[in-house]
Amino acid sequence: MTTSAAVASGGFRDAMSCDVCTELYEQSIRTPLVLPCGHTFCRPCLTDIKKKGSFHCPTCRAGHNNLQVVALTVNYSLLNILALCNQFEYDKCATHGDDLRYWCANCDQSLCCICLYSGHPQGHTVKLAQTFVTEKKQKLEERINAVFKNINEHKNELKKGFNDVDALVMQLFRKNIHFHNTEMAVKDLLDDIKKANGIASVLSYEKLVGEFQSKKNLADPGEEKAREKADPSVDTRDKVKNLPAKDKDALLVTTKDLKEAASESTEAANTAAGTDPNWRAMMDYCDGRLLLHTLANPTTTRMSMQMPHEVFLELGVGDKCLGRIYIRLWCHLCRAQQLLALCMGTMGPSLLKAKASDKMGNLIVFRSAVDRDNKSVSHALLTGLEWGGQHSKPETEGLVTGIVSNNLAFGICIQRQTGTSVNAAFGVVVAGHEVTKAAFQHNPVSEVTITSCGLVMPGFSQEG
């Protein structure tokens, strides 16, 4: 085919394909159905959209919530044209100009009628071009199916791997709690040994110390007895049940003991509840569940998790992706919590599909979010948003600031501007600032769209 014919054929094929899944329409499965707004999509795609609850046209966003997919009209005009789209396309012989209707398996090349009957070697295996294409497509589909099978096997391995990781994390936290409680019990035992003044108690302590020194006693009771919901310190209680009354109390690790131990780190609590962007919350394992404790409770020596404080915005213009911006939020501020909610969509509206609105000096500004019905939202999600006073900061590169005192608008500083300030700084770009600059330089800036957004996953570690 000529280049123009190929382009025309490609465009014709696109017109015969569903805009959602890009697959060609067909009579049996991907039947083209017409929405009341006039746009056509295949039955499986419309069924999937309907299942999600909000039934809107993928092209014009017209609402069809009360419409059933089974009641939609089939686009028979498209099906009739599709028959032409599926007709076999012959290339032209460069020598004779005829259709290349044959394929020689020995020569591995296409032939026209003149090529075949004027000098082509006898005894070669020659097939009709359509037969060759059909057989080749079948073999290619078999190879593709083998690739799919391989991919699915790897995906299943990954799924098992994720499940194993989840189980490993639970096991690690169970062990962590067990050894933490055992350590507290041993410390209490040491204190009581120093205070002991009787033969019976000293001999009892000697036996208990010997058992603590053995590896078996230090093993995680959850592994040996498979007691997911057991108190990790129960073995310690068993070891001291025959001690004198005052000595038993020294080894029992209770919730009260844990709270008293945690209360010793007042400064850590003040930091966590204040302005530290790297605040961490204690993680715990209890009743077969992972628990994330309040920031008011200091982490002490427990496993802890870094609290979410970094988000990302992926910017694009049309089909072009500009890249991602990573913003570290000052999460003690309401504006930072509001942007966190907008990035995740936890309060309804999100920044997904939101567009830049304008420029203000050195700021690229986003003034609205998008709700679940694809409507623009500009009102604040939280009250008490910071403005002015101690929240005013010099305008520096990458600074993220509120724009209006009572709504969700925010802007990102492109470069430092001497002598100017912003009124509600609540974060800073830590990576991808070149993406911000590219978006700022695009004209018009209103074409810049947030194509994806979300949270940078925090990590956890053992402190102390």
Side-chain angles (χ1 to χ4, degrees), residues 5 318 441:
Q441 292 167 1

Side-chain angles (χ1 to χ4, degrees), residues 171-338:
Q171 181 188 53
L172 290 174
F173 275 99
R174 185 179 64 239
K175 285 185 175 182
N176 184 63
I177 298 301
H178 167 71
F179 285 115
H180 173 81
N181 290 341
T182 302
E183 180 184 29
M184 293 180 64
V186 172
K187 286 181 179 179
D188 288 341
L189 175 60
L190 178 60
D191 290 340
D192 258 6
I193 288 175
K194 292 178 179 179
K195 300 174 184 177
N197 53 12
I199 293 176
S201 59
V202 168
L203 293 177
S204 297
Y205 291 141
E206 182 181 32
K207 180 181 179 181
L208 189 55
V209 168
E211 292 180 353
F212 270 124
Q213 286 180 313
S214 69
K215 291 182 179 180
K216 182 178 180 181
N217 186 65
L218 291 179
D220 180 5
E223 287 185 351
E224 294 183 355
K225 303 178 183 179
R227 295 182 296 179
E228 286 287 328
K229 297 183 180 182
D231 184 345
S233 62
V234 67
D235 277 11
T236 304
R237 290 192 175 96
D238 291 341
K239 300 300 181 183
V240 298
K241 62 183 180 182
N242 294 321
L243 292 180
K246 80 175 189 66
D247 295 330
K248 290 181 185 178
D249 295 336
L251 291 178
L252 294 180
V253 182
T254 64
T255 304
K256 180 179 178 181
D257 296 328
L258 297 179
K259 291 182 178 178
E260 289 176 351
S263 67
E264 297 174 0
S265 302
T266 305
E267 292 184 4
N270 292 336
T271 300
T275 61
D276 184 2
N278 295 315
W279 40 338
R280 307 182 73 87
M282 184 179 78
M283 297 191 75
D284 209 347
Y285 177 86
C286 188
D287 300 326
R289 294 172 172 82
L290 287 180
L291 310 179
L292 186 65
H293 288 252
T294 172
L295 290 170
N297 191 19
T299 62
T300 63
T301 59
R302 292 296 193 89
M303 189 72 73
S304 64
M305 179 177 180
Q306 188 176 30
M307 295 304 294
H309 68 284
E310 190 174 319
V311 296
F312 72 90
L313 304 177
E314 182 181 274
L315 304 184
V317 176
D319 294 332
K320 179 182 178 182
C321 178
L322 299 179
R324 293 189 184 92
I325 304 169
Y326 296 90
I327 300 173
R328 181 165 296 159
L329 300 174
W330 304 335
C331 286
H332 63 292
L333 301 176
C334 290
R335 285 190 183 272
Q337 292 295 329
Q338 178 172 261

Side-chain angles (χ1 to χ4, degrees), residues 60-287:
C60 66
R61 306 307 300 168
H64 306 295
N65 290 327
N66 297 325
L67 196 64
Q68 298 300 319
V69 175
V70 69
L72 293 175
T73 303
V74 176
N75 192 330
Y76 288 105
S77 297
L78 275 182
L79 287 177
N80 292 334
I81 299 173
L82 189 61
L84 297 176
C85 184
N86 286 333
Q87 287 182 352
F88 193 82
E89 299 169 350
Y90 292 103
D91 292 329
K92 297 294 183 181
C93 177
T95 304
H96 305 107
D98 285 354
D99 290 341
L100 294 170
R101 293 179 172 273
Y102 304 97
W103 175 265
C104 178
N106 300 81
C107 298
D108 200 26
Q109 67 178 22
S110 299
L111 304 170
C112 71
C113 292
I114 300 175
C115 291
L116 180 62
Y117 294 109
S118 61
H120 187 267
Q122 298 295 316
H124 282 198
T125 302
V126 177
K127 301 178 180 179
L128 290 172
Q130 287 176 286
T131 302
F132 168 75
V133 169
T134 301
E135 293 175 351
K136 180 63 71 173
K137 287 171 62 176
Q138 183 177 355
K139 291 179 180 179
L140 290 175
E141 288 178 6
E142 291 174 355
R143 291 171 63 184
I144 287 295
N145 288 333
V147 173
F148 277 129
K149 181 180 179 182
N150 192 22
I151 291 173
N152 287 330
E153 289 175 352
H154 284 293
K155 287 174 68 176
N156 289 333
E157 289 178 5
L158 285 174
K159 183 177 180 180
K160 181 179 181 300
F162 280 120
N163 291 336
D164 290 344
V165 168
D166 186 60
L168 177 61
V169 169
M170 300 289 275
Q171 181 188 53
L172 290 174
F173 275 99
R174 185 179 64 239
K175 285 185 175 182
N176 184 63
I177 298 301
H178 167 71
F179 285 115
H180 173 81
N181 290 341
T182 302
E183 180 184 29
M184 293 180 64
V186 172
K187 286 181 179 179
D188 288 341
L189 175 60
L190 178 60
D191 290 340
D192 258 6
I193 288 175
K194 292 178 179 179
K195 300 174 184 177
N197 53 12
I199 293 176
S201 59
V202 168
L203 293 177
S204 297
Y205 291 141
E206 182 181 32
K207 180 181 179 181
L208 189 55
V209 168
E211 292 180 353
F212 270 124
Q213 286 180 313
S214 69
K215 291 182 179 180
K216 182 178 180 181
N217 186 65
L218 291 179
D220 180 5
E223 287 185 351
E224 294 183 355
K225 303 178 183 179
R227 295 182 296 179
E228 286 287 328
K229 297 183 180 182
D231 184 345
S233 62
V234 67
D235 277 11
T236 304
R237 290 192 175 96
D238 291 341
K239 300 300 181 183
V240 298
K241 62 183 180 182
N242 294 321
L243 292 180
K246 80 175 189 66
D247 295 330
K248 290 181 185 178
D249 295 336
L251 291 178
L252 294 180
V253 182
T254 64
T255 304
K256 180 179 178 181
D257 296 328
L258 297 179
K259 291 182 178 178
E260 289 176 351
S263 67
E264 297 174 0
S265 302
T266 305
E267 292 184 4
N270 292 336
T271 300
T275 61
D276 184 2
N278 295 315
W279 40 338
R280 307 182 73 87
M282 184 179 78
M283 297 191 75
D284 209 347
Y285 177 86
C286 188
D287 300 326

Side-chain angles (χ1 to χ4, degrees), residues 239-449:
K239 300 300 181 183
V240 298
K241 62 183 180 182
N242 294 321
L243 292 180
K246 80 175 189 66
D247 295 330
K248 290 181 185 178
D249 295 336
L251 291 178
L252 294 180
V253 182
T254 64
T255 304
K256 180 179 178 181
D257 296 328
L258 297 179
K259 291 182 178 178
E260 289 176 351
S263 67
E264 297 174 0
S265 302
T266 305
E267 292 184 4
N270 292 336
T271 300
T275 61
D276 184 2
N278 295 315
W279 40 338
R280 307 182 73 87
M282 184 179 78
M283 297 191 75
D284 209 347
Y285 177 86
C286 188
D287 300 326
R289 294 172 172 82
L290 287 180
L291 310 179
L292 186 65
H293 288 252
T294 172
L295 290 170
N297 191 19
T299 62
T300 63
T301 59
R302 292 296 193 89
M303 189 72 73
S304 64
M305 179 177 180
Q306 188 176 30
M307 295 304 294
H309 68 284
E310 190 174 319
V311 296
F312 72 90
L313 304 177
E314 182 181 274
L315 304 184
V317 176
D319 294 332
K320 179 182 178 182
C321 178
L322 299 179
R324 293 189 184 92
I325 304 169
Y326 296 90
I327 300 173
R328 181 165 296 159
L329 300 174
W330 304 335
C331 286
H332 63 292
L333 301 176
C334 290
R335 285 190 183 272
Q337 292 295 329
Q338 178 172 261
L339 187 63
L340 188 65
L342 287 171
C343 286
M344 294 302 294
T346 52
M347 298 182 71
S350 81
L351 292 177
L352 183 63
K353 299 181 182 179
K355 293 182 177 293
S357 59
D358 58 286
K359 303 175 185 177
M360 288 181 56
N362 287 314
L363 300 178
I364 180 171
V365 179
F366 295 84
R367 295 186 181 273
S368 62
V370 179
D371 66 14
R372 292 174 183 173
D373 292 324
N374 282 318
K375 295 180 180 178
S376 178
V377 176
S378 59
H379 60 79
L381 303 183
L382 301 175
T383 59
L385 299 179
E386 299 80 11
W387 187 261
Q390 62 178 328
H391 306 293
S392 296
K393 304 288 183 184
E395 197 170 294
T396 56
E397 182 175 287
L399 197 64
V400 182
T401 178
I403 299 299
V404 184
S405 60
N406 62 348
N407 71 14
L408 52 73
F410 69 95
I412 304 174
C413 298
I414 300 304
Q415 61 185 10
R416 181 183 181 86
Q417 185 70 27
T418 305
T420 60
S421 299
V422 297
N423 288 316
F426 62 90
V428 63
V429 175
V430 293
H433 191 56
E434 68 279 0
V435 178
T436 317
K437 293 180 178 179
F440 184 85
Q441 292 167 1
H442 182 79
N443 188 26
V445 73
S446 58
E447 291 182 349
V448 175
T449 305

